[in-house]
Amino acid sequence: MSNLEVGIVGLPNVGKSTLFNAITKAGAEAANYPFCTIEPNVGVVAVPDNRLNVLTKLYNSKKTTPASVRFVDIAGLVKGASKGEGLGNKFLEHIRQVDAIAHVVRCFDDENITHVSDTINPLRDIETIQTELCLADLDVVEKRLTKVTKLLKSGSKDAKVEAEILERIKTALDAATPARSLDLSEDDLTVIRDANLLTLKPMLYVANVSENELGEENDYVKKVRKLAADENAQVVVICAKVEEEIAELDEEEAKEFLTDLGLDSSGLDRLIHAAFDLLGLMTFLTAGVDECRAWTIVKGTPAVKAAGKIHSDIERGFIRAEIVNYDDLIKLGSITAARDKGLVRLEGKDYIMQDGDVTYFRFNV
């Protein structure tokens, strides 16, 4: 995974494009009418990580490169999207390309901002989107089952296994239940991976509230949290308008603004960290005079595969990983001091990388 890609979805006029503008500063059009977004807007945003700033000062690095997240603002879906309503088929294909879905749900009242259904009801809105995703997947699964059924006649064992998995998924989708709610094994997921089902993608709900409700949870948010808990999903509460204001401030002003609001971090920070957690991601660090950099990997990645994130030659010629814990390095003030204290370790190919490992790979090709 080079860049984590998160698709921002939801009904029209729930705050998707406003949020996208704020967190990417990419200027996606945000207007008070449905379907202002036709082609998906894409913006790349740095993952906040103060460790990089500290390492850059420690090594006097010429360049600092954070990990990044690609946010894709996908046009508002409506009821009937799976059948093409509101250009829905095109929008659904955009969703198939992302790693995770951030479903923005309107959780505020404002008579000046229209709602596609005229009333505010986040659970109804979630159900509408979920139903469309299920219907789109159902179409894919049924077509695939037709092909697999033909292979069954030849006695294919692989076809039999796939058919059983697809039938389980079809039963769930018929009941408007997402495929991710099923207890599918890694082997099961491997069999159907190329189907690229929408409802298998990790989902987090972004509850968009008004500015005066940021510090508390209104009834709308509580309902979304209960639904998410039942699905083992996550919820991030943001105010898209506030995020838009933060985007216009410099770092110090943004900190003061957040403090005044009683917040420890911005919606962007919380959204990124929730997405990383959702996908089981973490970062390891490399540091030197030329560059300090954060690299995104899946938790549980062995050192040799982490080396391949930097360059395939490093993975191919891997000898050892020279690793120091970030906190130890900062406490002692230099890699030399850490080495003198015996805190710099030499790890082999099978070492499981830990978040914040400051790493130098020895290799020979």
Side-chain angles (χ1 to χ4, degrees):
M1 185 176 290
S2 53
N3 273 330
L4 167 62
E5 191 161 286
V6 178
I8 302 176
V9 306
L11 291 173
N13 282 13
V14 296
K16 299 183 317 304
S17 292
T18 303
L19 175 62
F20 179 84
N21 289 349
I23 64 179
T24 66
K25 302 181 185 178
E29 183 183 7
N32 185 26
Y33 57 88
F35 310 123
C36 72
T37 309
I38 304 298
E39 292 300 323
N41 299 291
V42 179
V44 179
V45 63
V47 176
D49 191 340
N50 191 54
R51 296 174 301 188
L52 271 183
N53 301 327
V54 176
L55 285 174
T56 296
K57 290 179 182 177
L58 184 65
Y59 282 83
N60 197 24
S61 304
K62 299 172 185 174
K63 183 180 178 183
T64 305
T65 307
S68 60
V69 175
R70 283 167 57 90
F71 282 100
V72 184
D73 177 30
I74 297 166
L77 297 173
V78 293
K79 188 173 183 178
S82 59
K83 303 301 180 186
E85 288 293 327
L87 305 179
N89 286 330
K90 192 172 184 180
F91 300 162
L92 290 166
E93 284 309 307
H94 294 152
I95 303 172
R96 291 195 191 280
Q97 310 310 314
V98 301
D99 301 304
I101 299 172
H103 182 174
V104 182
V105 185
R106 180 168 167 178
C107 292
F108 66 90
D109 294 302
D110 188 334
E111 60 185 20
N112 295 314
I113 301 177
T114 60
H115 188 286
V116 71
S117 299
D118 295 325
T119 57
I120 310 303
N121 185 334
L123 297 188
R124 176 202 59 208
D125 294 353
I126 289 172
E127 184 180 358
T128 297
I129 297 291
Q130 184 161 286
T131 297
E132 295 308 318
L133 298 182
C134 286
L135 288 172
D137 276 355
L138 191 58
D139 185 52
V140 171
V141 168
E142 287 176 341
K143 287 177 180 176
R144 189 149 171 155
L145 266 172
T146 300
K147 292 180 181 179
V148 171
T149 300
K150 292 177 182 176
L151 292 173
L152 279 173
K153 296 175 182 177
S154 66
S156 167
K157 291 182 179 178
D158 290 342
K160 185 175 184 295
V161 170
E162 183 174 352
E164 289 173 352
I165 297 168
L166 290 172
E167 285 291 356
R168 285 179 62 199
I169 294 173
K170 182 178 181 300
T171 299
L173 295 174
D174 277 330
T177 301
R180 66 178 170 276
S181 66
L182 297 173
D183 187 20
L184 297 172
S185 68
E186 282 301 318
D187 289 340
D188 293 339
L189 293 171
T190 299
V191 170
I192 59 164
R193 183 161 288 131
D194 61 348
N196 206 9
L197 297 179
L198 299 169
T199 63
L200 270 179
K201 293 185 182 296
M203 174 82 76
L204 63 89
Y205 294 107
V206 182
N208 187 17
V209 300
S210 62
E211 183 174 345
N212 60 1
E213 292 179 311
L214 254 181
E216 57 191 60
E217 298 213 339
N218 62 31
D219 288 340
Y220 295 139
V221 174
K222 289 175 182 175
K223 289 177 181 178
V224 173
R225 279 207 187 277
K226 184 177 186 307
L227 180 143
D230 292 340
E231 293 183 2
N232 290 319
Q234 294 191 39
V235 178
V236 178
V237 180
I238 60 102
C239 172
K241 283 187 67 178
V242 165
E243 293 303 313
E244 200 167 36
E245 292 175 44
I246 292 172
E248 301 300 322
L249 305 174
D250 64 32
E251 189 174 346
E252 284 306 311
E253 289 174 330
K255 284 181 181 177
E256 289 180 18
F257 185 47
L258 287 168
T259 300
D260 290 343
L261 290 172
L263 300 174
D264 295 324
S265 58
S266 70
L268 170 60
D269 288 8
R270 297 195 301 276
L271 185 55
I272 289 175
H273 292 145
F276 262 58
D277 188 49
L278 194 66
L279 290 167
L281 302 179
M282 62 176 227
T283 54
F284 72 91
L285 309 166
T286 54
V289 174
D290 290 332
E291 181 183 35
C292 280
R293 184 163 180 168
W295 304 86
T296 303
I297 55 174
V298 177
K299 291 176 182 176
T301 298
V304 66
K305 291 298 181 183
K309 288 286 297 183
I310 299 174
H311 199 286
S312 57
D313 283 350
I314 303 178
E315 180 179 359
R316 186 160 53 90
F318 182 97
I319 298 173
R320 285 283 187 275
E322 190 174 287
I323 293 174
V324 59
N325 175 274
Y326 169 82
D327 290 331
D328 289 339
L329 175 60
I330 301 308
K331 183 178 179 180
L332 292 169
S334 73
I335 190 70
T336 301
R339 191 175 280 113
D340 289 343
K341 290 286 188 180
L343 295 174
V344 178
R345 314 183 312 275
L346 290 179
E347 301 287 0
K349 291 183 177 182
D350 296 332
Y351 167 75
I352 301 301
M353 300 293 291
Q354 300 299 308
D355 185 68
D357 276 348
V358 182
T359 310
Y360 174 77
F361 292 108
R362 297 183 184 180
F363 70 104
N364 183 36
V365 289

